[in-house]
């Protein structure tokens, strides 16, 4: 596990590409996006976790902000993030030796106490791999959102690689030890990636937006219902290219262990697709935001 006797900064790799590279422009975009959201209807419930997209802000920021704003007053002082690995292949979960995570808004510090707890579990599926984090955008894209809504909580970013169904249960049990009333869980995932580029064209050369929405609405509702078995069967039946399926599976397995009474319930907060911005439905990515709240 990490050696934490010196400062080590993970520098932003996606700034200027996935989102604005300077603080002023970034905050302006986020404030304008929030101002354009539909009116919020507070549920009065405590948000325990969210599934959020990690695409470029021009495509997915609205979904992310409409979802995460529900957690604005959740009282979190720590955020655990699970996101899929896009660049490095490995099995299980990768932590990192970075002590802080830089964005145009400044640095977020690592929740080293949570890392210590995870280390004490001695789960062989939890390793340290800085390379898995260095260029990974699935977590970085969420950092400015954390700073916008919560200022500067401690964070524990974890990249998820390949896993089996048994791995999801094992990792869910290990991560359950990190949960506390002041911990918010953010699960990073885009939904269906459609087109020849992604080798997924079940509706023909160009996606029908209504069919694409129907497909991912089914997936999102299964996740919100905490139906891990149903979600896995859905993936097997449809082949849907949901890049964060493994982080989602681990989170659902963790919730089953922490909350067998199912007092934490999910709801689909927002959906959109990149084609609404680009006009291109030959190569399109779908996005869904899901909020998990404690009744």
């Amino acid at each position: 596990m990490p050696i934490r006797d010196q400062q080590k900064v993970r520098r932003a790799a996606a700034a200027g590409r996935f989102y604005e590279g300077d603080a002023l422009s970034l905050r302006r975009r986020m404030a304008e996006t929030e101002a354009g959201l539909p009116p919020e209807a507070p549920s009065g419930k405590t948000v325990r976790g969210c599934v959020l997209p990690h695409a470029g802000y021009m495509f997915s920021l609205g979904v992310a902000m409409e979802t995460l704003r529900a957690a604005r007053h959740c009282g979190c002082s720590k955020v655990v993030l699970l996101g899929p690995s896009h660049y490095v292949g490995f099995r299980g979960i990768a932590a990192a030796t970075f002590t802080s995570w830089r964005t145009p808004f400044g640095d977020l510090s690592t929740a080293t106490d949570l890392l210590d707890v995870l280390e004490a579990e001695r789960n062989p599926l939890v390793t340290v791999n800085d390379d898995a984090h260095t260029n990974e955008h699935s977590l970085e894209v969420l950092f400015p959102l954390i700073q916008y809504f919560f200022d500067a909580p401690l964070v524990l970013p974890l990249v998820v690689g390949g896993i089996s169904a048994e791995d999801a249960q094992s990792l869910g049990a290990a991560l359950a030890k990190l949960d506390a009333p002041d911990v918010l869980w953010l699960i990073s995932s885009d939904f269906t990636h459609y087109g020849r580029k992604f080798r997924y064209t079940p509706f023909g050369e160009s996606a029908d937006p209504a069919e694409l929405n129907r497909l991912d609405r089914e997936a999102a509702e299964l996740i919100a219902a905490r139906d891990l078995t149903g979600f896995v069967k859905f993936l097997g039946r449809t082949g849907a290219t949901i890049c964060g399926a493994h982080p989602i599976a681990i989170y659902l397995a963790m919730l089953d262990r922490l909350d067998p009474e199912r007092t934490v319930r999910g709801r689909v907060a927002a959906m959109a697709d990149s084609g609404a911005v680009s006009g291109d439905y030959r190569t399109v990515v779908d996005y869904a935001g899901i909020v998990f709240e404690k009744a």
Side-chain angles (χ1 to χ4, degrees):
M1 273 295 181
I3 298 171
R4 297 186 291 274
D5 58 354
Q6 58 185 1
Q7 295 298 304
K8 184 176 181 181
V9 180
R10 189 272 189 188
R11 299 186 183 278
R17 298 186 301 121
F18 282 70
Y19 58 89
E20 283 75 2
D22 68 277
L24 183 61
S25 298
L26 179 57
R27 189 168 296 279
R28 181 183 299 117
R29 175 189 280 274
M30 298 178 85
E32 290 175 351
T33 299
E34 185 182 21
L37 295 177
E40 186 175 10
S43 68
K45 301 174 182 177
T46 301
V47 176
R48 303 297 298 125
C50 298
V51 175
L52 301 172
H54 55 242
Y57 278 10
M58 69 180 295
F59 299 114
S60 69
L61 183 60
V63 170
M65 295 194 78
E66 188 171 353
T67 305
L68 193 55
R69 68 178 177 177
R72 192 196 301 266
H73 303 297
C74 70
C76 67
S77 64
K78 300 170 188 174
V79 179
V80 180
L81 303 94
L82 298 176
S85 178
H86 288 85
Y87 310 111
V88 177
F90 61 94
R91 179 185 174 195
I93 281 178
T97 64
F98 299 109
T99 56
S100 59
W101 309 77
R102 184 153 297 166
T103 81
F105 290 153
D107 292 354
L108 289 165
S109 296
T110 299
T112 54
D113 59 330
L114 295 184
L115 200 50
D116 288 340
V117 172
L118 194 56
E119 177 182 13
E121 286 296 297
R122 299 187 180 279
N123 188 312
L125 294 170
V126 180
T127 59
V128 173
N129 186 344
D130 284 355
D131 288 343
H133 288 262
T134 300
N135 294 311
E136 184 53 59
H137 64 274
S138 71
L139 300 179
E140 180 186 329
V141 167
L142 303 189
F143 294 156
L145 285 158
I146 291 171
Q147 291 167 307
Y148 183 88
F149 283 109
F150 311 114
D151 191 20
L154 300 176
V155 297
L156 181 58
L158 301 170
V159 178
V160 180
I163 60 168
S164 66
E166 293 76 17
D167 292 344
Q169 295 298 325
S170 175
L171 290 166
L175 292 179
K177 300 295 179 65
L178 308 183
D179 192 56
D182 67 333
V183 173
L184 178 68
W185 295 82
L186 297 185
I187 315 304
S188 178
S189 181
D190 293 337
F191 275 62
T192 295
H193 297 59
Y194 194 97
R196 285 191 176 185
K197 174 182 177 181
F198 305 115
R199 301 180 182 178
Y200 191 72
T201 55
F203 310 133
E205 193 71 15
S206 182
D208 180 326
E211 286 296 307
L212 187 63
N213 179 269
R214 179 199 58 75
L215 179 73
D216 281 324
R217 172 68 67 170
E218 181 180 352
E221 293 291 357
L222 287 167
I223 296 164
R226 295 178 47 185
D227 185 354
L228 176 54
T229 300
F231 178 54
V232 171
K233 288 181 178 178
F234 167 86
L235 294 173
R237 171 169 53 84
T238 66
T241 47
I242 298 175
C243 60
H246 289 165
I248 290 168
I250 292 169
Y251 181 63
L252 294 180
M254 185 195 77
L255 283 179
D256 284 346
R257 180 170 291 267
L258 284 172
D259 181 40
E261 299 84 8
R262 294 183 170 261
T263 61
V264 175
R265 299 177 181 177
R267 61 177 175 86
V268 180
M271 294 191 72
D273 63 66
S274 63
V277 175
S278 68
D280 181 7
Y281 282 92
R282 294 167 66 91
T283 301
V284 58
V285 181
D286 221 19
Y287 314 113
I290 304 168
V291 177
F292 290 87
E293 299 165 311
K294 188 174 180 62

